Amino acid sequence: MSTTATTTLPRIRGEVSYWAYLVPGGALFLAIIVLPFVMNIYFSLTRWPGLGDPTFIGLENYVRLFQDEVFWTSFRNSIAMIVAMVVVPTLLGLLLAAVLFDYIGKKFSGSVSSGLRAVYYLPQILPVTVVGILWSWILNPQTGALNVVLRSLGLDGMALNWLGSTDTALPSVMAVMVWVQVGYPVVIFMSALQRVDPELYEAAELDGAGWFTRFRAITLPQIKPETFVVTLTCTIAALKVFGPIYVLTRGGPENSTNVPSYFAYQNFFPKSQVGYGAAIATVLTVIVLLVAAIFMVLQARSERKEAEGR
Amino acid sequence: MSTAVVTTAPTTGPVTPARSRHRRGAMRWVILGVITVGGIAMMIPFVIMLLNAFKSPQEYSNAGPLTLPTDLYFDGLINFWNRVDYPEKLWNSIVISGTVAVAATLVSLLNAYALGIGRVRGRLWLVGLFMLANMIPQESLVYPLYFMAKQVGLYNSIWAVVIIFTVIQSAFGTYLLASVLGTFPPALLEAARLDGASRWTILWRVVYPITRPTLSVLMIFFFIWTWNEFYIPLVMLIDNSSQTIPVALAALQGDRLMDVPTINAGSLISLLPAVLFFLIFQRTLTRGITAGAVK
Amino acid sequence: MRTTPTRLAALTGAVALAAGLTACSGSDDGGGGDGGTADATSLKLWHYESPNGAMGIAWAEAIKVFEEEHPGVTIEFEEKSFEQIQQTAGMILSSDEGPDIMEYNKGNATTGLLSSQGLLTDITAVADERGWTDMLSPSLATTAQYDESGVMGSGNWFGIPNYGEFVTVYYNKAMFEDAGLEVPTSLDEMVEVMDTFVAEGVTPLGMAGAEYPAGQLFYQLTLSQVDRQWITDYQMFTGPVDWQGPELTFGAETFAEWVDAGYVASDSASLKAEDMGVAFINGTYPMMVSGSWWYGRLVDEIDGFEWGVFNFPGNTFNAGSSGNLWVVPTNSKAPELAYDFIDITMRPEIQAILGNNGGLPVAADPADITDAKSQELITAFNEVLENDGLAFYPDWPVPGFYDVIVNSVQKLINGSAEPATVLDELGAAYDQGVANAG
């Protein structure tokens, strides 16, 4: 919490507590999220095909889940998704945003940097089905653009079975995810960079600081909030990723690209085992919650340090 | 950042040579080139999509997806347009995405004001709680939401979709805004307070203008994310007349067969409004006001 | 601006509303229509066939005929997506927003499940009365009847199919001619044909390992070794299935052999059915083992070579079943009109339209089928029907089996597991599914 024990702007007479501002969002949240989640937990303790009445079976679903090998494989693959959707896009996105904003924006014009930003963001606007179709065409081992180009360059040995071989399927999916994801950090970071007071840069420049020193000493600390937000939301997205897996590989080949959300989907609908699917969803949510909690604590600590530094 | 950094910008001394040293120089072109090549690489799949959007099914099957169409084929698109009554779907998508974008941003602002600036007790846990909305897989929300919507009579109504997505998107918005407002300079707030402003006034007169760039980001994201949402609209919108574009596009994919060129064409035209929205709102992103320069 | 009591009241009102929303959750499952009356003036009809496919065309005509014969009644037709019906049919039919009649997938996991939950009308009496039961041969009728636990093959009638479907072999006549080959009539001859192609550097069979085609080929190979009883045991649990028995072992081992021999591309594990179809259309593969659902598209899109079908050589039994069913939801507000519509779709004229546009009618008069290309397909289908040869699909018995099959057969394609191991995996999933169903 901040150094002052009381909240900012102590109340004046007749004024509503800050809590009142939370009422609209809070009420909706209770109805749309909390209640369904509690119901979901209830379903996870039952066996239920989705229609009729559920049968209570206690923790049986969870026991079965923890013994399911595919479940553990899918979590291992989640780590790969985190690399592909958090680590690489955040670093790359930060770099791109900085170059576009600081360098290109200044050396050329704002329109050029805006245009390039739009280009990098475009994959985020594309519906997932189409992402799957387009990349399947590119990665098709026999007729796909990638292999055709490689073969025409004489690199036959590199024309691999990208999405069909258990060795290359996961890396291929990861590469597609970087393509999909990188625009998001670019947009957020570019808006963050605008918040930074240019006078800080000028002062540093006068002191003889080069671009990289300025970046490290001024930019990075200033955009800490957005950095936290980007890494946390990308991590959540990585843990929950479903669409691209579904359209590219259906979790295959041989479960090598199966992820928890897809595994949950396989059990929710085709198998009509809503109870089991609910158990998977609950475990997934708990894991995501834990990861998020860690992030939040780190973020809170960093904010506290900031506030104390003032 | 809040402490006023007093800079004495040097008015003396030759400014021009430094500027011209920056202006000229091959380095900037090199960097621009690299970034542009990266951009082109990003666009390759889109080019492929364009190649196939106006290709006849025969040509697509015979010549493959990577060739230029010999004739521009519009029949698939026109048929699709009529079949699903595309203008109706477009309108539904715009209404839903637009309403969610505005409502969710508003809710996010209210939440973030209390959490980021008001610093109510336990705010970090509250932010985390709100983020629960983003962490829960949508499949697990669907059955309960279906039951509730039926009870309230909102099943098969776009308002069910609007309400649900307002909540889900505002979770992200609350988090982002609360984080940003957490570093809001207290000096500004106190100054306004000294002028006798209430919390409500401060919200709209001081906080809102400064956070406009972030709010724009939220509006853009919320619009685009809701635009492409498929699963919850699939479950909640039964009548064709209330469906959105992604749900309508699903009609092109049957149990075992799919109509690929029309999917490409349909996706292309459904992409355009979202891209347009992005390009328009992008301008507000660049009209940034830094937190330090107020009054 | 001061915060007034009004604003506070508004905020409180919002909370109350939300509380009201959350308080009202119960487990109410849609009110029941009481079976509608003959005075209904509209019929809400849904299907998810594309408008230029055989069913789409035939049903559009049926709609016209219906409206002519029922002046004052309109059909409110909505074209749905397969995806939506597949995922949400249960939810829709449990509410008031459902249709009066709709197309729905045959099988235990779909019609079986919904019928066992009481969401579909039992039309046994109507079917008898109107003569539909006589029009459908036994193997087609299997998928129209479901017992109380939702297993097909016996029990009451819950749906009526207008068409059938089955798996056959499409072949490129030009490539066969160039290689000097005849249509094979036994599995051995088929192997010889494929050897010839391999010797010329051509992969003979198109394949798609990421979707249903791989599993269907495996099933076809297995079916070459079985009898009717085995199929009934496999599909309807009338007896145990030996996953290491000769039939399935033959299927898995032969599949693996075919991959080794190069009859099937070893890098096809990630290909989708669409890729396989397109490759056949553009002449990459001389043969494709897949279903009658491709027929209409092949007619439209293949130019440059003659093509035809022949039934899987040597097999009495082939994958296939009735097509999707017309079902009448329990909540239908106009069931009588629904029955009239079904009746119209079973008439010779409508069945003929279906047949002449690349579909497989169940009750057409052969004399009405004038389109030569369609005759070819229908003749092949009738051949299977005469032998009571429809064996349904490999993923039907157990919910979720489709994913397991795809996964396991991918291992055969990639050569990463032995056939016996793959069969063990399949067997384990099958047995667990059977246990759960009981």
Side-chain angles (χ1 to χ4, degrees):
Chain A
M1 297 294 277
S2 59
T3 47
T4 54
T6 56
T7 53
T8 327
L9 302 179
R11 279 212 277 181
I12 57 185
R13 271 186 56 197
E15 203 170 48
V16 209
S17 148
Y18 273 118
W19 288 96
Y21 289 87
L22 287 173
V23 163
L28 284 174
F29 179 76
L30 266 171
I32 305 293
I33 303 294
V34 174
L35 195 62
F37 186 58
V38 169
M39 285 171 77
N40 177 75
I41 296 183
Y42 166 67
F43 289 143
S44 73
L45 300 172
T46 68
R47 177 183 309 152
W48 188 47
L51 303 166
D53 297 316
T55 346
F56 192 80
I57 56 171
L59 292 173
E60 229 178 87
N61 283 327
Y62 289 96
V63 171
R64 184 169 145 213
L65 184 59
F66 288 119
Q67 291 172 339
D68 194 329
E69 223 184 81
V70 181
F71 179 66
W72 295 110
T73 313
S74 70
F75 266 104
R76 276 203 300 275
N77 291 339
S78 266
I79 312 277
M81 286 296 117
I82 290 184
V83 169
M85 288 175 69
V86 185
V87 178
V88 176
T90 307
L91 293 175
L92 208 53
L94 186 54
L95 188 63
L96 275 171
V99 172
L100 281 176
F101 185 78
D102 272 338
Y103 198 83
I104 305 244
K106 299 205 169 75
K107 298 279 189 325
F108 289 89
S109 76
S111 323
V112 172
S113 72
S114 289
L116 284 168
R117 169 176 57 191
V119 166
Y120 279 95
Y121 189 67
L122 223 42
Q124 285 263 305
I125 309 185
L126 205 52
V128 140
T129 327
V130 186
V131 170
I133 295 177
L134 295 175
W135 278 100
S136 299
W137 281 343
I138 296 179
L139 296 175
N140 184 314
Q142 293 148 7
T143 59
L146 182 59
N147 281 0
V148 164
V149 167
L150 285 174
R151 288 193 191 112
S152 69
L153 292 177
L155 294 167
D156 280 43
M158 285 190 54
L160 302 171
N161 186 4
W162 301 106
L163 293 172
S165 153
T166 48
D167 297 322
T168 52
L170 191 58
S172 305
V173 172
M174 285 168 68
V176 175
M177 291 320 294
V178 171
W179 178 82
V180 168
Q181 200 63 5
V182 78
Y184 167 72
V186 169
V187 170
I188 292 198
F189 282 135
M190 278 180 78
S191 93
L193 289 173
Q194 279 165 224
R195 281 194 309 110
V196 181
D197 188 347
E199 292 182 352
L200 290 174
Y201 287 129
E202 286 169 20
E205 217 172 327
L206 287 176
D207 286 345
W211 183 84
F212 190 67
T213 322
R214 289 204 305 273
F215 187 71
R216 224 174 19 126
I218 299 175
T219 315
L220 285 182
Q222 288 296 321
I223 60 173
K224 247 198 235 187
E226 279 90 346
T227 310
F228 273 109
V229 171
V230 165
T231 37
L232 177 58
T233 49
C234 284
T235 306
I236 294 179
L239 290 170
K240 274 177 55 182
V241 70
F242 171 78
I245 302 290
Y246 177 79
V247 295
L248 284 171
T249 56
R250 304 267 199 282
E254 306 171 38
N255 277 326
S256 57
T257 59
N258 206 342
V259 291
S261 272
Y262 190 74
F263 180 67
Y265 166 78
Q266 283 175 321
N267 285 286
F268 242 103
F269 283 103
K271 288 198 177 145
S272 299
Q273 296 176 92
V274 178
Y276 191 53
I280 301 171
T282 308
V283 171
L284 186 59
T285 307
V286 167
I287 292 182
V288 176
L289 254 170
L290 284 174
V291 171
I294 297 176
F295 264 92
M296 304 271 206
V297 168
L298 288 173
Q299 187 172 356
R301 253 189 234 153
S302 141
E303 265 179 35
R304 208 175 308 148
K305 271 196 248 162
E306 274 263 338
E308 280 159 16
R310 283 205 199 117
Chain B
M1 181 176 110
S2 56
T3 54
V5 177
V6 177
T7 57
T8 46
T11 46
T12 57
V15 177
T16 346
R19 271 181 44 212
S20 69
R21 192 178 44 218
H22 279 168
R23 274 282 147 99
R24 275 188 245 118
M27 197 53 181
R28 64 184 192 122
W29 287 105
V30 169
I31 301 227
L32 180 66
V34 168
I35 302 270
T36 313
V37 166
I40 292 180
M42 298 288 284
M43 297 288 280
I44 289 177
F46 286 95
V47 171
I48 297 182
M49 180 166 133
L50 266 174
L51 285 179
N52 288 289
F54 300 111
K55 206 183 264 188
S56 74
Q58 289 89 334
E59 208 180 330
Y60 158 71
S61 295
N62 281 300
L66 302 174
T67 58
L68 239 91
T70 50
D71 282 308
L72 286 181
Y73 177 81
F74 293 104
D75 280 359
L77 188 58
I78 295 177
N79 284 336
F80 173 67
W81 183 287
N82 291 327
R83 216 166 103 196
V84 302
D85 192 359
Y86 188 78
E88 190 181 51
K89 306 295 170 289
L90 184 62
W91 178 247
N92 289 338
S93 277
I94 292 178
V95 167
I96 292 179
S97 301
T99 315
V100 169
V102 171
T105 307
L106 185 62
V107 170
S108 304
L109 184 59
L110 291 176
N111 286 345
Y113 186 58
L115 297 172
I117 289 192
R119 295 185 183 267
V120 296
R121 203 191 306 257
R123 63 195 188 87
L124 216 51
W125 297 108
L126 280 174
V127 173
L129 190 63
F130 275 111
M131 280 298 274
L132 200 65
N134 269 345
M135 300 183 207
I136 298 179
Q138 284 187 357
E139 301 91 60
S140 57
L141 293 176
V142 146
Y143 275 106
L145 286 176
Y146 157 75
F147 285 125
M148 281 167 41
K150 254 198 330 183
Q151 288 298 123
V152 191
L154 281 181
Y155 182 56
N156 196 19
S157 151
I158 62 173
W159 297 110
V161 175
V162 169
I163 293 175
I164 293 173
F165 283 117
T166 301
V167 176
I168 293 180
Q169 312 293 25
S170 68
F172 170 81
T174 304
Y175 179 46
L176 177 61
L177 262 182
S179 303
V180 169
L181 290 182
T183 61
F184 199 86
L188 290 171
L189 300 169
E190 277 148 29
R193 180 62 115 199
L194 287 176
D195 287 347
S198 72
R199 285 174 180 170
W200 184 255
T201 319
I202 293 180
L203 170 61
W204 295 106
R205 294 277 168 80
V206 179
V207 177
Y208 170 70
I210 291 178
T211 51
R212 283 261 288 270
T214 321
L215 292 178
S216 299
V217 168
L218 289 183
M219 293 260 306
I220 293 180
F221 280 169
F222 293 165
F223 187 89
I224 291 178
W225 291 344
T226 314
W227 185 268
N228 279 331
E229 278 291 341
F230 174 70
Y231 188 60
I232 288 185
L234 186 77
V235 170
M236 289 293 170
L237 301 174
I238 307 306
D239 282 341
N240 280 7
S241 57
S242 57
Q243 288 180 355
T244 56
I245 293 179
V247 178
L249 275 178
L252 292 170
Q253 203 147 348
D255 187 0
R256 296 173 177 124
L257 296 173
M258 51 195 286
D259 183 353
V260 175
T262 314
I263 290 180
N264 270 302
S267 302
L268 187 64
I269 55 177
S270 56
L271 202 60
L272 290 179
V275 171
L276 222 66
F277 188 85
F278 178 75
L279 292 176
I280 292 176
F281 265 79
Q282 193 178 217
R283 286 201 252 118
T284 64
L285 285 180
T286 54
R287 226 183 286 139
I289 308 171
T290 63
V294 174
K295 302 217 170 168
Chain C
M1 253 195 336
R2 198 129 305 170
T3 312
T4 61
T6 334
R7 186 161 297 126
L8 196 50
L11 289 174
T12 322
V15 179
L17 178 62
L21 279 175
T22 60
C24 284
S25 57
S27 60
D28 180 282
D29 282 12
D34 62 305
T37 65
D39 299 312
T41 53
S42 70
L43 181 68
K44 204 171 176 189
L45 184 151
W46 292 357
H47 74 66
Y48 40 89
E49 299 295 330
S50 76
N52 55 359
M55 275 70 76
I57 298 175
W59 290 343
E61 184 62 32
I63 291 178
K64 261 196 246 155
V65 171
F66 180 93
E67 288 184 332
E68 275 163 28
E69 295 183 2
H70 293 79
V73 180
T74 43
I75 290 198
E76 288 168 16
F77 164 60
E78 286 201 350
E79 184 193 339
K80 293 290 169 198
S81 66
F82 166 74
E83 190 77 35
Q84 181 166 48
I85 301 298
Q86 194 66 356
Q87 297 219 23
T88 64
M91 291 194 239
I92 298 177
L93 295 186
S94 305
S95 74
D96 283 327
E97 309 288 335
D100 298 319
I101 175 179
M102 76 175 197
E103 174 191 8
Y104 195 46
N105 268 29
K106 64 282 179 204
N108 299 356
T110 45
T111 304
L113 182 62
L114 259 50
S115 66
S116 69
Q117 301 293 333
L119 293 172
L120 299 177
T121 316
D122 170 7
I123 55 176
T124 318
V126 183
D128 269 329
E129 191 189 304
R130 299 203 187 210
W132 302 332
T133 45
D134 298 323
M135 292 187 208
L136 297 168
S137 71
S139 41
L140 292 173
T142 316
T143 41
Q145 299 172 277
Y146 296 86
D147 64 18
E148 308 89 51
S149 20
V151 177
M152 67 181 182
S154 63
N156 294 328
W157 286 70
F158 285 100
I160 300 291
N162 287 152
Y163 65 101
E165 54 184 50
F166 75 119
V167 170
T168 181
V169 185
Y170 293 94
Y171 75 107
N172 185 326
K173 286 186 185 163
M175 286 176 89
F176 265 59
E177 258 174 51
D178 287 343
L181 293 168
E182 301 278 320
V183 167
T185 53
S186 73
L187 203 55
D188 289 331
E189 282 181 26
M190 175 86 158
V191 169
E192 276 169 30
V193 165
M194 294 196 290
D195 277 329
T196 315
F197 278 118
V198 169
E200 293 183 4
V202 174
T203 310
L205 274 186
M207 180 46 53
E211 291 187 333
Y212 62 86
Q216 282 179 359
L217 177 61
F218 162 66
Y219 194 54
Q220 289 286 118
L221 289 170
T222 309
L223 289 175
S224 65
Q225 310 290 311
V226 309
D227 58 13
R228 189 81 226 168
Q229 186 56 45
W230 187 94
I231 297 175
T232 319
D233 290 342
Y234 181 83
Q235 294 284 349
M236 297 175 250
F237 320 135
T238 45
V241 171
D242 182 2
W243 281 88
Q244 296 292 340
E247 306 89 353
L248 287 158
T249 310
F250 180 83
E253 283 182 357
T254 316
F255 191 98
E257 277 163 27
W258 284 20
V259 174
D260 279 336
Y263 302 152
V264 159
S266 57
D267 59 1
S268 52
S270 63
L271 297 180
K272 315 257 174 24
E274 170 74 12
D275 300 316
M276 174 185 79
V278 164
F280 180 77
I281 293 175
N282 64 27
T284 310
Y285 298 115
M287 290 186 282
M288 169 171 88
V289 176
S290 198
S292 49
W293 46 85
W294 284 103
Y295 208 80
R297 180 167 170 190
L298 296 184
V299 168
D300 282 337
E301 295 185 11
I302 293 187
D303 64 34
F305 61 88
E306 296 278 311
W307 58 279
V309 300
F310 60 84
N311 283 339
F312 202 81
N315 273 28
T316 318
F317 299 106
N318 289 285
S321 73
S322 79
N324 292 338
L325 309 167
W326 284 114
V327 297
V328 181
T330 316
N331 287 347
S332 169
K333 301 188 182 71
E336 287 301 319
L337 294 177
Y339 304 143
D340 285 345
F341 183 79
I342 297 179
D343 211 54
I344 294 176
T345 59
M346 294 296 276
R347 289 190 198 157
E349 314 87 68
I350 305 292
Q351 291 280 306
I353 297 180
L354 220 152
N356 280 321
N357 281 288
L360 284 176
V362 294
D365 185 346
D368 288 337
I369 307 300
T370 51
D371 181 64
K373 201 72 191 151
S374 303
Q375 265 176 14
E376 185 190 21
L377 185 69
I378 296 176
T379 313
F381 183 58
N382 285 336
E383 199 185 302
V384 176
L385 275 185
E386 274 153 32
N387 292 330
D388 190 26
L390 290 180
F392 316 111
Y393 296 100
D395 59 298
W396 275 20
V398 163
F401 204 35
Y402 176 82
D403 287 309
V404 181
I405 293 182
V406 167
N407 231 298
S408 301
V409 182
Q410 272 175 339
K411 294 190 185 165
L412 290 179
I413 297 180
N414 280 338
S416 58
E418 291 299 312
T421 322
V422 166
L423 287 175
D424 268 337
E425 274 173 26
L426 288 169
Y430 178 88
D431 290 334
Q432 191 188 69
V434 173
N436 280 344

